[in-house]
Structures are given as C-alpha cells and as structure tokens.
Amino acid sequence: MTPEIEVSRDLDEMSRRAADRFVEAAEETVAGRRPFYAALSGGSTPRTTFSLLAGTDFALRFPWNSTRFFQVDERSVPPDHRDSNFRMIREAMLDRAPLPPEDFHRMRAESADLESAAHDYAHEIAVALHPLGGLWPRFDLIQLGLGPDGHTASLFPGTAALEEEKRWVVPNHVTKLSTWRMTLTYPVINAAREIIFLVDGADKADVLRRVLYPESPEDRFPAQGIAPREGQLRWYLTESAARFLPKRS
Ligand code: 6PG
C-alpha cells in the first residue's frame, strides 16, 4: 500500500487528525467483534494526541473496554522517572481514561535483567494477540515517532536491534546515549495492520526529507526500515516538519 502523507498546520491540528484515526481504527476493529491492539511510542510529539483521546472530544467515542495498549519502546528508567515513556502516557491519557489498568501493558525496562524483561514482554504479547504458530503478532495500530537522527521506536542508527530478525522485543544498547532501551523489533512492527508516524518540528525537517526522498547512499535511516508487509503506513506531519518536502498538489 502506498504510504499516505497528511500535512497539518500545527501540532494541535495534527494531533486531532491522529486522534480521529485512532478512534476510527479502533471502531473498525471492534466492529469485527475483537479487541483493538495498539502499541504506543514515547517522546514528546504523541503527548497531545494521547491527551485528546482521554479528553471530552474523543473519550466517549473511543472503545476503552475493547482496547489493549502496549508500548513500542521504553527507556531503562523506573515508571515514575521524568524520562519514562510510561509516565508520559500515564499523565497524558491513562490517569484520565476509563481504561482498566490491566489493559495497559507496561514495558518493565527498569529491570536489572533486561533480557528476561524483554522475553516476558514478548510472552505478554503472545498471550494477548495469540498469533498462530510461527507467525508474527499483528497489532491493529502502531504509533511511531521520528528522531532527528532518523531513529524510530528505539531502533537507533548503528545499533544491534536493527539486525534482529527473530525476537519480537529486545534490549538495545544505544552507545551515543550511553543507555539501554527496550524496543519492539522491525518484524513485529512491520506485521501491523496500520502504522502511523507523528512528526512535528523544524528540527525533523531535514531528516524527514532524507527518509522519504533519499538522494544519496548516506540517506539511510532506521525509519526507512518501517514498511508494513500487509498494512497501511500513514505519515502525520506538521508544516514545520514537512517544510523541505516537495509541495503536493
Ligand atoms: C522514545 C521514542 C522515540 C521517539 C522519537 C521522537 O522513547 O524516545 O519512542 O522513538 O518517538 O525519539 O521523539 P519526539 O516525539 O520527542 O521528537
């Protein structure tokens, strides 16, 4: 499927469109009489979308009781730490949304044994999504962001997780940040029915152009590895992030 690109005036307009898409995708899935499985990223850009979902304009439309949230990636900090992706999602959405606590699956990336924690998280995904033997688990929607270095999830340039072809969830050491992360891997992300990128900010404009319109061998970035095998890819962009992209008629 051809990736869709939608450019919005600013973060608020982009977030409203993204929240609308979350609701539509959830309603479409639940209409098929099964839960809606979605995986959420961290960082700052999705905060407004998550906050809108739990707010007056969207909360009544969203099927909270039929939704199961997972995390795309997490930093190796406790869940109340300021850098915690879980904390951002909790403060933006979970503290106000009528989602049963057991239906948000937190990545325990603060664990001293990240390898076991990653394995346990993959098991949680298996129990919930129960893919048929040998198949990849299929999330209904995975929300991603884009870093100024072209990373997405915690798939950073030059890191081991980029090469993972078997495991669903891995610890990933990010040398330039001198830290460990936990992240879903390309095979799981690319098995999703739908992947939406949320990208905002002038600091993303150059890398976004090079990710979407590579011009030289140097234009190789982890975000380019996101290509759903049988799903839809959507880019939600703000004008500031999209300013170097070719104008669309
Ligand atoms: C994380 C994220 C990461 C994020 C990008 C963009 O843990 O940091 O999951 O992949 O999506 O870094 O972050 P911003 O939205 O803050 O620019």
Side-chain angles (χ1 to χ4, degrees):
M1 293 180 199
T2 312
E4 287 184 16
I5 298 179
E6 198 166 323
V7 181
S8 299
R9 199 178 41 250
D10 55 25
L11 180 62
D12 189 62
E13 184 179 74
M14 179 188 79
S15 303
R16 282 186 176 282
R17 288 178 170 174
D20 265 328
R21 185 60 211 150
F22 263 90
V23 172
E24 286 161 13
E27 287 174 336
E28 288 159 12
T29 305
V30 171
R33 302 192 179 292
R34 60 179 185 77
F36 174 63
Y37 296 102
L40 310 178
S41 283
S44 56
T45 307
R47 183 193 297 273
T48 308
T49 300
F50 300 158
S51 177
L52 285 168
L53 279 173
T56 46
D57 295 353
F58 291 88
L60 293 177
R61 294 169 52 202
F62 195 79
W64 301 99
N65 285 332
S66 307
T67 295
R68 315 286 182 265
F69 282 124
F70 287 77
Q71 290 187 257
V72 167
D73 68 329
E74 185 57 283
R75 293 100 181 257
S76 50
V77 294
D80 55 357
H81 189 280
R82 68 175 183 283
D83 294 340
S84 162
N85 286 341
F86 171 74
R87 177 174 167 178
M88 181 276 285
I89 299 168
R90 179 180 58 71
E91 291 175 346
M93 181 171 71
L94 303 179
D95 283 351
R96 296 180 298 131
L99 181 83
E102 65 274 15
D103 291 336
F104 187 91
H105 297 261
R106 184 176 75 80
M107 271 185 175
R108 285 167 170 64
E110 74 275 16
S111 167
D113 182 352
L114 268 181
E115 213 41 82
S116 303
H119 185 267
D120 294 348
Y121 201 69
H123 180 69
E124 265 187 67
I125 293 172
V127 169
L129 280 76
H130 46 83
L132 297 175
L135 296 182
W136 299 102
R138 296 201 74 191
F139 284 94
D140 297 297
L141 189 150
I142 293 185
Q143 174 267 317
L144 297 176
L146 179 70
D149 61 357
H151 82 262
T152 189
S154 279
L155 300 168
F156 284 80
T159 59
L162 298 174
E163 314 308 324
E164 183 60 47
E165 294 177 350
K166 290 196 174 57
R167 289 178 292 168
W168 302 357
V169 187
V170 293
N172 194 28
H173 188 257
V174 186
T175 309
K176 71 173 185 181
L177 301 177
S178 315
T179 189
W180 282 90
R181 295 280 190 102
M182 190 186 290
T183 186
L184 298 183
T185 59
Y186 279 135
V188 169
I189 296 173
N190 287 330
R193 291 184 175 82
E194 181 171 350
I195 299 172
I196 66 172
F197 274 97
L198 306 182
V199 187
D200 171 43
D203 64 326
K204 307 286 178 67
D206 183 59
V207 73
L208 181 63
R209 176 185 59 75
R210 298 170 68 189
V211 164
L212 292 175
Y213 302 95
E215 287 171 353
S216 75
E218 284 73 49
D219 290 349
R220 293 201 51 67
F221 302 96
Q224 290 161 330
I226 303 301
R229 285 186 293 279
E230 292 166 36
Q232 179 66 56
L233 177 58
R234 302 178 199 277
W235 291 84
Y236 289 86
L237 313 174
T238 58
E239 283 173 4
S240 59
R243 68 200 174 109
F244 294 150
L245 299 186
K247 292 293 170 253
R248 308 158 64 84
S249 51

